Amino acid sequence: MQHFTRITQSPSVMGGRPCIRGMSLTVGSILELLAEGRTVNEIITVYPYLEPADVQQSLAYAAWWLDRGEVSAQSAPR
């Protein structure tokens, strides 16, 4: 298993969804911004408490999570 030092999960923060360093900003939110075409610099401008490594680790976490084989394109929301 990968070790993600910047990704945290706690039932008391965003319902246990993966977040950035215990903050109320989810990995999914970062991925959505990237999918919309936002750059890392644009994301950090909007969220100045983020660091480029937070965005990079969000991508790495998503890749690791998808590679576990628990998600399929058919089960993803459309």
Side-chain angles (χ1 to χ4, degrees):
M1 179 174 153
Q2 289 263 25
H3 185 67
F4 299 102
T5 58
R6 294 175 174 268
I7 309 300
T8 57
Q9 287 183 275
S10 170
S12 63
V13 179
M14 301 300 290
R17 292 169 33 209
C19 292
I20 306 299
R21 294 184 281 125
M23 297 182 272
S24 295
L25 182 61
T26 65
V27 168
S29 295
I30 298 297
L31 296 175
E32 285 180 22
L33 291 168
L34 291 168
E36 291 171 1
R38 308 292 177 150
T39 66
V40 172
N41 287 336
E42 289 173 330
I43 294 169
I44 291 172
T45 298
V46 173
Y47 300 102
Y49 47 85
L50 286 180
E51 300 171 8
D54 296 323
V55 177
Q56 181 62 38
Q57 200 160 99
S58 293
L59 286 169
Y61 179 84
W64 168 81
W65 194 81
L66 287 170
D67 200 38
R68 295 185 328 174
E70 295 181 12
V71 177
S72 69
Q74 290 77 27
S75 66
R78 295 175 194 234

